[in-house]
Coordinates of all heavy atoms in Angstrom, one line a residue:
M1 N 168.0 242.5 97.2 CA 168.2 243.0 98.5 C 168.1 244.5 98.5 O 168.6 245.2 97.6 CB 169.6 242.6 98.9 CG 169.8 242.9 100.4 SD 171.4 242.1 100.9 CE 171.9 243.2 102.0
N2 N 167.3 245.0 99.4 CA 167.0 246.4 99.4 C 167.9 247.1 100.6 O 167.7 246.9 101.7 CB 165.5 246.6 99.7 CG 165.2 248.1 99.6 OD1 165.9 248.9 99.2 ND2 164.0 248.3 100.1
L3 N 168.7 248.0 100.1 CA 169.5 248.7 101.1 C 169.0 250.1 101.4 O 169.6 250.8 102.2 CB 171.0 248.8 100.6 CG 171.8 247.5 100.6 CD1 173.2 247.7 100.0 CD2 171.9 246.8 102.0
D4 N 167.9 250.4 100.8 CA 167.4 251.8 101.0 C 167.1 252.1 102.4 O 167.2 253.2 102.9 CB 166.1 251.9 100.2 CG 166.4 252.2 98.7 OD1 167.6 252.3 98.4 OD2 165.4 252.3 97.9
K5 N 166.6 251.1 103.2 CA 166.2 251.4 104.6 C 167.4 251.7 105.4 O 167.3 252.2 106.5 CB 165.5 250.1 105.1 CG 166.4 248.9 105.2 CD 165.6 247.8 105.8 CE 166.5 246.5 105.7 NZ 165.9 245.3 106.3
H6 N 168.6 251.5 104.9 CA 169.8 251.9 105.6 C 170.3 253.3 105.4 O 171.2 253.8 106.0 CB 171.0 250.9 105.3 CG 170.6 249.5 105.7 ND1 170.6 249.1 107.0 CD2 170.3 248.4 105.0 CE1 170.3 247.8 107.1 NE2 170.1 247.4 105.9
S7 N 169.7 253.9 104.4 CA 170.0 255.3 104.1 C 169.3 256.2 105.1 O 168.2 255.9 105.6 CB 169.7 255.7 102.7 OG 168.3 255.8 102.5
R8 N 170.0 257.2 105.5 CA 169.4 258.1 106.5 C 169.9 259.5 106.3 O 170.9 259.7 105.7 CB 169.6 257.6 107.9 CG 171.1 257.6 108.2 CD 171.4 257.2 109.6 NE 171.4 255.7 109.7 CZ 171.6 255.0 110.8 NH1 171.8 255.6 111.9 NH2 171.6 253.7 110.8
T9 N 169.2 260.4 106.9 CA 169.7 261.8 106.9 C 170.5 262.0 108.1 O 170.1 261.7 109.2 CB 168.5 262.7 106.9 OG1 167.6 262.3 105.8 CG2 168.9 264.1 106.6
I10 N 171.7 262.4 107.9 CA 172.5 262.7 109.1 C 172.3 264.2 109.5 O 172.4 265.1 108.7 CB 174.0 262.5 108.7 CG1 174.3 261.1 108.3 CG2 174.9 262.9 109.9 CD1 175.6 260.9 107.6
P11 N 171.8 264.3 110.7 CA 171.5 265.7 111.2 C 172.8 266.5 111.4 O 173.7 266.0 112.1 CB 170.7 265.5 112.5 CG 171.1 264.1 112.9 CD 171.5 263.3 111.8
L12 N 172.9 267.6 110.8 CA 174.0 268.5 111.0 C 173.7 269.5 112.1 O 172.6 270.0 112.2 CB 174.4 269.2 109.7 CG 174.8 268.3 108.5 CD1 174.9 269.2 107.3 CD2 176.0 267.6 108.8
H13 N 174.7 269.7 113.0 CA 174.4 270.5 114.1 C 175.1 271.9 113.9 O 176.3 271.9 113.5 CB 174.9 269.9 115.4 CG 174.2 268.6 115.8 ND1 173.0 268.7 116.4 CD2 174.5 267.3 115.5 CE1 172.6 267.4 116.6 NE2 173.4 266.6 116.0
C14 N 174.4 272.9 114.4 CA 175.0 274.2 114.3 C 176.1 274.3 115.4 O 176.0 273.9 116.5 CB 173.9 275.3 114.7 SG 174.6 276.9 115.1
P15 N 177.3 274.7 115.0 CA 178.5 274.8 115.9 C 178.2 275.8 117.1 O 178.9 275.7 118.1 CB 179.7 275.2 115.1 CG 179.2 275.3 113.7 CD 177.7 275.2 113.6
T16 N 177.3 276.7 116.9 CA 177.1 277.7 117.9 C 176.0 277.3 118.9 O 176.3 277.3 120.1 CB 176.7 279.0 117.3 OG1 177.6 279.4 116.3 CG2 176.5 280.1 118.3
C17 N 174.9 276.8 118.4 CA 173.8 276.5 119.4 C 173.4 275.0 119.3 O 172.4 274.6 120.0 CB 172.6 277.4 119.1 SG 171.7 277.0 117.6
A18 N 174.0 274.2 118.5 CA 173.7 272.8 118.3 C 172.4 272.6 117.7 O 171.9 271.4 117.8 CB 173.9 272.1 119.7
G19 N 171.8 273.6 117.2 CA 170.5 273.4 116.5 C 170.7 272.6 115.2 O 171.7 272.5 114.7
T20 N 169.6 272.0 114.8 CA 169.7 271.1 113.6 C 168.8 271.7 112.4 O 168.7 271.0 111.4 CB 169.3 269.7 113.9 OG1 168.0 269.7 114.5 CG2 170.2 269.0 114.8
K21 N 168.2 272.8 112.6 CA 167.4 273.4 111.6 C 168.1 274.6 110.9 O 168.6 275.5 111.6 CB 166.1 273.8 112.2 CG 165.2 272.7 112.5 CD 163.7 273.1 112.5 CE 162.8 271.9 112.3 NZ 162.7 271.2 113.6
F22 N 168.1 274.5 109.6 CA 168.8 275.5 108.8 C 167.9 275.9 107.7 O 167.1 275.1 107.1 CB 170.1 275.0 108.3 CG 171.1 274.6 109.4 CD1 171.1 273.3 109.8 CD2 171.9 275.5 109.9 CE1 172.0 272.9 110.8 CE2 172.8 275.2 111.0 CZ 172.9 273.8 111.4
E23 N 168.1 277.2 107.4 CA 167.3 277.7 106.2 C 168.3 278.2 105.2 O 169.4 278.7 105.4 CB 166.5 278.9 106.7 CG 165.1 278.5 107.2 CD 164.3 279.6 107.8 OE1 164.9 280.7 107.8 OE2 163.2 279.4 108.1
S24 N 167.9 278.0 103.9 CA 168.7 278.5 102.8 C 167.7 279.0 101.7 O 166.6 278.6 101.6 CB 169.6 277.4 102.3 OG 168.8 276.3 101.8
E25 N 168.2 279.9 101.0 CA 167.4 280.5 99.9 C 167.1 279.5 98.9 O 166.0 279.5 98.3 CB 168.1 281.7 99.3 CG 168.0 282.9 100.2 CD 168.8 284.1 99.8 OE1 169.1 284.2 98.6 OE2 169.3 284.9 100.6
S26 N 168.0 278.6 98.6 CA 167.8 277.6 97.6 C 168.7 276.4 97.9 O 169.7 276.6 98.7 CB 168.1 278.1 96.2 OG 169.5 278.1 96.0
P27 N 168.3 275.2 97.5 CA 169.2 274.1 97.8 C 170.6 274.2 97.3 O 171.5 273.5 97.7 CB 168.5 272.9 97.1 CG 167.1 273.4 96.8 CD 167.2 274.9 96.6
E28 N 170.8 275.1 96.3 CA 172.2 275.3 95.8 C 172.9 276.4 96.5 O 174.1 276.7 96.2 CB 172.1 275.6 94.3 CG 171.6 274.4 93.4 CD 170.1 274.4 93.4 OE1 169.5 275.6 93.4 OE2 169.5 273.4 93.3
S29 N 172.2 277.1 97.3 CA 172.9 278.3 97.9 C 174.2 277.9 98.7 O 174.2 276.9 99.3 CB 171.9 279.1 98.8 OG 171.5 278.4 99.9
Y30 N 175.1 278.9 98.7 CA 176.4 278.6 99.2 C 176.4 278.5 100.8 O 177.1 277.7 101.3 CB 177.3 279.7 98.8 CG 178.8 279.6 99.2 CD1 179.5 278.5 98.8 CD2 179.3 280.5 100.1 CE1 180.8 278.4 99.2 CE2 180.6 280.4 100.5 CZ 181.4 279.3 100.0 OH 182.7 279.1 100.4
S31 N 175.5 279.3 101.4 CA 175.5 279.2 102.8 C 174.1 279.0 103.4 O 173.1 279.2 102.6 CB 176.1 280.5 103.4 OG 175.5 281.6 102.9
V32 N 174.0 278.6 104.6 CA 172.7 278.4 105.2 C 172.6 279.2 106.5 O 173.6 279.6 107.1 CB 172.5 276.9 105.6 CG1 172.3 276.1 104.3 CG2 173.5 276.3 106.4
T33 N 171.4 279.4 107.0 CA 171.2 280.2 108.2 C 170.6 279.3 109.2 O 169.6 278.6 109.0 CB 170.3 281.4 107.9 OG1 170.7 282.1 106.8 CG2 170.2 282.3 109.2
C34 N 171.2 279.3 110.4 CA 170.7 278.5 111.5 C 169.4 279.1 112.0 O 169.4 280.4 112.3 CB 171.7 278.4 112.6 SG 171.0 277.6 114.1
T35 N 168.3 278.4 112.1 CA 167.1 279.0 112.6 C 167.1 279.2 114.1 O 166.3 280.0 114.7 CB 165.8 278.1 112.3 OG1 166.0 276.9 112.9 CG2 165.7 278.0 110.8
G36 N 168.0 278.6 114.8 CA 168.1 278.7 116.3 C 168.8 280.0 116.7 O 168.3 280.8 117.5
C37 N 170.0 280.3 116.1 CA 170.8 281.5 116.5 C 171.0 282.4 115.4 O 171.7 283.4 115.6 CB 172.1 281.0 117.1 SG 173.2 280.2 116.0
E38 N 170.5 282.1 114.2 CA 170.6 283.0 113.0 C 172.0 283.1 112.6 O 172.4 284.0 111.8 CB 170.0 284.3 113.3 CG 168.5 284.2 113.6 CD 167.7 285.5 113.5 OE1 168.3 286.5 113.8 OE2 166.5 285.4 113.1
R39 N 172.9 282.2 113.0 CA 174.2 282.2 112.4 C 174.2 281.8 111.0 O 173.6 280.8 110.6 CB 175.1 281.3 113.2 CG 176.5 281.1 112.6 CD 177.4 280.2 113.5 NE 178.6 280.0 112.8 CZ 179.7 279.4 113.3 NH1 179.7 279.0 114.5 NH2 180.8 279.2 112.6
V40 N 175.0 282.5 110.2 CA 175.1 282.2 108.8 C 176.4 281.4 108.6 O 177.4 281.9 109.1 CB 175.1 283.4 107.8 CG1 175.3 283.0 106.4 CG2 173.8 284.2 108.0
I41 N 176.3 280.2 108.0 CA 177.5 279.4 107.9 C 177.5 278.8 106.5 O 176.4 278.4 106.0 CB 177.5 278.3 109.0 CG1 178.8 277.5 109.0 CG2 176.3 277.4 109.0 CD1 179.0 276.6 110.2
T42 N 178.6 278.7 105.9 CA 178.7 278.0 104.6 C 178.5 276.5 104.8 O 178.8 276.0 105.8 CB 180.0 278.3 103.9 OG1 181.0 277.6 104.7 CG2 180.3 279.7 103.8
R43 N 177.9 275.9 103.7 CA 177.7 274.5 103.8 C 179.0 273.7 104.1 O 179.1 272.7 104.8 CB 177.1 274.0 102.5 CG 175.7 274.4 102.3 CD 175.1 274.0 101.0 NE 173.9 274.6 100.6 CZ 172.7 274.2 101.1 NH1 172.6 273.2 101.8 NH2 171.6 274.9 100.7
E44 N 180.1 274.2 103.5 CA 181.4 273.6 103.6 C 181.8 273.6 105.1 O 182.2 272.6 105.6 CB 182.4 274.4 102.8 CG 183.5 273.6 102.2 CD 184.5 274.5 101.5 OE1 184.1 275.4 100.8 OE2 185.7 274.3 101.7
D45 N 181.7 274.8 105.7 CA 182.0 274.9 107.1 C 181.2 274.0 108.0 O 181.6 273.4 108.9 CB 181.9 276.3 107.6 CG 183.1 277.2 107.2 OD1 184.1 276.5 106.8 OD2 183.1 278.4 107.3
L46 N 179.9 274.0 107.7 CA 178.9 273.2 108.4 C 179.3 271.7 108.4 O 179.3 271.0 109.4 CB 177.5 273.4 107.9 CG 176.4 272.8 108.7 CD1 176.3 273.3 110.1 CD2 175.1 273.0 108.0
H47 N 179.7 271.3 107.2 CA 180.2 269.9 107.1 C 181.5 269.6 107.8 O 181.6 268.6 108.4 CB 180.3 269.5 105.6 CG 179.0 269.1 105.0 ND1 178.2 269.9 104.2 CD2 178.3 267.9 105.0 CE1 177.1 269.3 103.8 NE2 177.2 268.0 104.3
R48 N 182.3 270.6 107.7 CA 183.6 270.4 108.4 C 183.4 270.3 109.9 O 184.0 269.5 110.6 CB 184.6 271.6 108.1 CG 186.0 271.2 108.4 CD 187.0 272.2 107.8 NE 186.4 273.4 107.5 CZ 186.7 274.1 106.3 NH1 187.4 273.5 105.4 NH2 186.1 275.2 106.1
E49 N 182.5 271.2 110.4 CA 182.2 271.2 111.9 C 181.6 269.9 112.3 O 181.6 269.5 113.5 CB 181.3 272.3 112.2 CG 181.8 273.7 112.0 CD 182.8 274.1 113.1 OE1 183.0 273.4 114.1 OE2 183.5 275.1 112.9
N50 N 180.9 269.2 111.4 CA 180.2 268.0 111.7 C 180.9 266.7 111.2 O 180.3 265.7 111.2 CB 178.8 268.0 111.0 CG 177.8 268.9 111.8 OD1 177.2 268.4 112.8 ND2 177.7 270.2 111.5
E51 N 182.1 266.9 110.9 CA 182.9 265.8 110.3 C 182.8 264.5 111.2 O 182.6 263.4 110.8 CB 184.3 266.2 110.1 CG 185.2 265.2 109.3 CD 184.7 265.0 107.9 OE1 184.3 266.0 107.3 OE2 184.8 263.8 107.4
E52 N 183.1 264.7 112.5 CA 183.1 263.6 113.4 C 181.8 262.9 113.5 O 181.7 261.7 113.5 CB 183.4 264.2 114.8 CG 184.3 263.3 115.6 CD 184.7 264.0 116.9 OE1 185.5 264.9 116.8 OE2 184.2 263.6 118.0
N53 N 180.7 263.8 113.6 CA 179.4 263.3 113.6 C 179.0 262.5 112.3 O 178.5 261.4 112.4 CB 178.5 264.5 113.7 CG 177.0 264.3 113.7 OD1 176.6 263.2 114.1 ND2 176.2 265.2 113.2
I54 N 179.4 263.0 111.2 CA 179.2 262.3 109.9 C 179.9 261.0 109.9 O 179.3 259.9 109.5 CB 179.6 263.2 108.7 CG1 178.7 264.4 108.6 CG2 179.6 262.4 107.4 CD1 179.2 265.5 107.7
Q55 N 181.2 261.0 110.3 CA 182.0 259.7 110.3 C 181.3 258.7 111.2 O 181.3 257.5 110.9 CB 183.4 260.0 110.7 CG 184.2 260.8 109.7 CD 184.2 260.1 108.3 OE1 184.2 258.9 108.2 NE2 184.2 261.0 107.3
A56 N 180.9 259.1 112.4 CA 180.2 258.2 113.3 C 179.0 257.6 112.7 O 178.8 256.4 112.8 CB 179.9 258.9 114.6
H57 N 178.2 258.4 112.0 CA 177.0 257.9 111.4 C 177.4 256.9 110.3 O 176.8 255.8 110.1 CB 176.2 259.0 110.8 CG 175.2 259.6 111.7 ND1 173.9 259.1 111.9 CD2 175.3 260.6 112.6 CE1 173.3 259.8 112.8 NE2 174.1 260.7 113.3
L58 N 178.4 257.2 109.5 CA 178.8 256.3 108.4 C 179.2 255.0 108.9 O 178.9 253.9 108.4 CB 179.9 257.0 107.6 CG 179.5 258.1 106.7 CD1 180.6 258.7 105.9 CD2 178.4 257.7 105.7
G59 N 180.0 255.0 110.0 CA 180.4 253.8 110.7 C 179.3 252.9 111.1 O 179.3 251.7 110.9
E60 N 178.2 253.5 111.6 CA 177.0 252.8 112.0 C 176.3 252.2 110.8 O 175.9 251.1 110.9 CB 176.1 253.8 112.7 CG 175.7 253.5 114.1 CD 174.8 254.6 114.6 OE1 173.7 254.7 114.3 OE2 175.4 255.5 115.4
I61 N 176.2 253.0 109.8 CA 175.5 252.5 108.6 C 176.3 251.3 108.0 O 175.7 250.3 107.6 CB 175.4 253.6 107.5 CG1 174.4 254.7 108.1 CG2 174.9 253.1 106.2 CD1 174.4 256.0 107.2
K62 N 177.6 251.4 108.0 CA 178.4 250.3 107.5 C 178.2 249.0 108.3 O 178.1 248.0 107.7 CB 179.9 250.7 107.5 CG 180.4 251.3 106.2 CD 181.9 251.3 106.3 CE 182.4 252.6 105.7 NZ 183.7 253.1 106.2
K63 N 178.1 249.2 109.6 CA 177.9 248.0 110.4 C 176.6 247.4 110.1 O 176.5 246.2 110.0 CB 177.9 248.5 111.9 CG 179.0 247.8 112.7 CD 178.9 248.2 114.2 CE 179.7 249.4 114.6 NZ 179.3 250.0 115.9
E64 N 175.5 248.2 110.0 CA 174.2 247.7 109.7 C 174.2 247.0 108.4 O 173.5 246.0 108.2 CB 173.2 248.9 109.6 CG 172.6 249.2 111.0 CD 171.6 250.4 110.9 OE1 171.0 250.4 109.8 OE2 171.5 251.1 111.8
I65 N 174.8 247.6 107.4 CA 174.8 247.0 106.1 C 175.5 245.6 106.1 O 175.0 244.6 105.5 CB 175.4 247.9 105.0 CG1 174.3 249.1 104.8 CG2 175.6 247.2 103.7 CD1 174.8 250.1 103.8
S66 N 176.7 245.6 106.7 CA 177.4 244.3 106.7 C 176.6 243.2 107.4 O 176.7 242.1 107.1 CB 178.8 244.4 107.2 OG 178.8 245.1 108.4
K67 N 175.9 243.6 108.4 CA 175.0 242.7 109.1 C 173.9 242.2 108.2 O 173.6 241.0 108.2 CB 174.5 243.3 110.4 CG 173.8 242.3 111.3 CD 173.2 243.0 112.5 CE 172.4 242.0 113.4 NZ 171.2 241.5 112.6
A68 N 173.3 243.1 107.5 CA 172.2 242.8 106.6 C 172.7 241.9 105.5 O 172.0 240.9 105.1 CB 171.6 244.1 106.0
V69 N 173.9 242.1 105.0 CA 174.5 241.3 103.9 C 174.7 239.9 104.5 O 174.4 238.9 103.8 CB 175.8 241.9 103.4 CG1 176.5 240.9 102.5 CG2 175.5 243.2 102.6
A70 N 175.3 239.8 105.7 CA 175.5 238.5 106.3 C 174.2 237.7 106.5 O 174.1 236.5 106.2 CB 176.3 238.6 107.6
D71 N 173.2 238.4 107.0 CA 171.9 237.8 107.2 C 171.3 237.3 105.9 O 170.8 236.2 105.8 CB 170.9 238.8 107.8 CG 171.2 239.0 109.3 OD1 172.0 238.2 109.8 OD2 170.5 239.9 109.9
D72 N 171.4 238.1 104.9 CA 170.9 237.8 103.5 C 171.6 236.5 103.0 O 171.0 235.6 102.5 CB 171.1 239.0 102.6 CG 170.5 238.8 101.3 OD1 169.2 238.6 101.3 OD2 171.2 238.7 100.3
L73 N 172.9 236.5 103.1 CA 173.7 235.4 102.6 C 173.3 234.1 103.3 O 173.2 233.0 102.7 CB 175.2 235.7 102.8 CG 176.2 234.7 102.2 CD1 176.1 234.8 100.7 CD2 177.6 235.1 102.6
R74 N 173.1 234.2 104.7 CA 172.8 233.0 105.4 C 171.4 232.5 105.0 O 171.3 231.3 104.8 CB 172.8 233.4 106.9 CG 173.0 232.1 107.8 CD 172.8 232.4 109.3 NE 171.6 233.1 109.5 CZ 171.4 234.2 110.3 NH1 172.4 234.6 110.9 NH2 170.2 234.7 110.5
K75 N 170.5 233.4 104.8 CA 169.2 233.0 104.3 C 169.3 232.3 102.9 O 168.6 231.2 102.7 CB 168.2 234.2 104.2 CG 167.5 234.4 105.5 CD 166.6 235.6 105.4 CE 166.4 236.3 106.7 NZ 166.2 237.7 106.5
R76 N 170.1 232.8 102.0 CA 170.2 232.2 100.7 C 170.8 230.8 100.8 O 170.4 229.9 100.2 CB 171.2 233.1 99.9 CG 170.5 234.2 99.2 CD 171.6 235.1 98.6 NE 171.2 236.5 98.6 CZ 170.8 237.1 97.5 NH1 170.7 236.5 96.4 NH2 170.5 238.4 97.5
L77 N 171.8 230.7 101.7 CA 172.5 229.4 101.9 C 171.5 228.4 102.4 O 171.4 227.3 102.0 CB 173.7 229.5 102.8 CG 174.9 230.2 102.1 CD1 176.0 230.4 103.1 CD2 175.5 229.3 101.0
Q78 N 170.7 228.8 103.4 CA 169.7 227.9 104.0 C 168.8 227.4 103.0 O 168.4 226.3 103.0 CB 169.0 228.7 105.2 CG 169.8 228.6 106.4 CD 169.2 229.5 107.5 OE1 168.4 230.4 107.3 NE2 169.6 229.3 108.8
K79 N 168.3 228.3 102.1 CA 167.4 228.0 101.1 C 168.1 227.0 100.1 O 167.5 226.0 99.7 CB 167.0 229.3 100.3 CG 165.5 229.4 100.1 CD 165.3 230.6 99.2 CE 164.0 231.2 99.5 NZ 163.8 232.5 98.8
A80 N 169.3 227.3 99.7 CA 170.0 226.5 98.7 C 170.2 225.1 99.3 O 170.2 224.1 98.5 CB 171.4 227.1 98.4
F81 N 170.5 225.0 100.6 CA 170.8 223.6 101.1 C 169.6 223.0 101.8 O 169.7 221.9 102.4 CB 171.9 223.7 102.1 CG 173.2 224.0 101.5 CD1 173.8 225.3 101.6 CD2 173.9 223.0 100.7 CE1 175.0 225.5 101.0 CE2 175.1 223.3 100.1 CZ 175.7 224.6 100.2
K82 N 168.4 223.6 101.6 CA 167.2 223.1 102.2 C 166.9 221.7 101.6 O 167.0 221.6 100.3 CB 166.0 224.0 101.9 CG 164.9 223.9 102.9 CD 163.9 225.0 102.6 CE 162.7 224.8 103.5 NZ 161.6 225.7 103.1
G83 N 166.7 220.8 102.4 CA 166.4 219.4 101.8 C 167.6 218.5 101.7 O 167.5 217.3 101.6
S84 N 168.8 219.1 101.7 CA 169.9 218.2 101.6 C 170.3 217.7 103.0 O 170.4 218.5 103.9 CB 171.1 219.0 100.9 OG 171.5 220.1 101.7
K85 N 170.4 216.5 103.1 CA 170.6 215.8 104.4 C 172.1 216.0 104.9 O 173.0 216.1 104.1 CB 170.3 214.4 104.3 CG 168.8 214.1 104.4 CD 168.6 212.6 104.3 CE 167.1 212.4 104.2 NZ 166.8 211.0 103.9
G86 N 172.2 216.2 106.1 CA 173.5 216.2 106.7 C 174.2 217.6 106.5 O 175.3 217.7 106.8
F87 N 173.4 218.6 106.1 CA 174.0 219.9 106.0 C 173.1 220.9 106.8 O 172.0 221.2 106.3 CB 174.2 220.3 104.6 CG 175.1 221.4 104.4 CD1 176.4 221.2 104.0 CD2 174.7 222.7 104.6 CE1 177.3 222.3 103.9 CE2 175.5 223.8 104.5 CZ 176.8 223.6 104.1
K88 N 173.6 221.3 107.9 CA 172.8 222.3 108.6 C 173.5 223.6 108.9 O 174.7 223.5 109.3 CB 172.3 221.6 109.9 CG 171.0 221.0 109.8 CD 170.5 220.4 111.1 CE 169.2 219.7 110.9 NZ 168.9 218.7 111.9
L89 N 172.8 224.6 108.8 CA 173.4 225.9 109.1 C 172.7 226.5 110.3 O 171.5 226.4 110.4 CB 173.3 226.9 107.9 CG 174.2 226.7 106.7 CD1 173.7 227.5 105.6 CD2 175.6 227.1 107.1
K90 N 173.4 227.0 111.2 CA 172.8 227.6 112.3 C 172.6 229.1 112.1 O 173.4 229.7 111.5 CB 173.6 227.3 113.6 CG 173.4 226.0 114.1 CD 174.1 225.8 115.4 CE 173.9 224.3 115.9 NZ 174.7 224.0 117.0
Ligands
LIG1 ZN1 172.7 278.0 115.7

């Protein structure tokens, strides 16, 4: 079962202008610069500002995955019981 399709990039929003594009000198740099309003914000602060947004996305992903797991299980069961009489799964 492949769960890769459920991974996604959660867009982080600039607390000042709600822009989603940021620039940084390197992926390890401590802070990033919003390309919309040029506000410099630390990654930590950016994540804190987006906490609600991140949690909402995680909730969505969890829902999708549990649905995918349930679907997968149902398919496996249908396969396993295929051909056996008197056992039907809807
Ligand atoms: Zn901004």
Side-chain angles (χ1 to χ4, degrees):
M1 189 170 148
N2 183 13
L3 291 176
D4 280 357
K5 63 179 173 180
H6 296 290
S7 72
R8 66 179 80 180
T9 310
I10 298 169
L12 296 174
H13 295 278
C14 167
T16 304
C17 72
T20 53
K21 286 206 162 70
F22 299 92
E23 275 175 352
S24 59
E25 282 171 28
S26 78
E28 294 86 34
S29 63
Y30 183 62
S31 56
V32 293
T33 307
C34 172
T35 58
C37 65
E38 300 195 328
R39 173 176 172 171
V40 178
I41 184 167
T42 64
R43 290 179 192 275
E44 211 185 317
D45 281 346
L46 189 59
H47 275 98
R48 198 167 19 226
E49 297 284 352
N50 282 273
E51 188 64 37
E52 216 173 291
N53 178 27
I54 292 168
Q55 290 306 326
H57 271 272
L58 288 180
E60 238 174 77
I61 293 169
K62 265 191 220 156
K63 241 188 270 167
E64 272 183 30
I65 288 178
S66 51
K67 190 182 174 299
V69 169
D71 284 351
D72 187 62
L73 188 66
R74 203 185 54 221
K75 270 182 212 150
R76 278 171 210 256
L77 284 174
Q78 276 172 343
K79 229 186 210 174
F81 289 108
K82 208 176 174 186
S84 61
K85 280 179 187 170
F87 196 100
K88 268 185 185 156
L89 285 167
K90 276 186 186 171

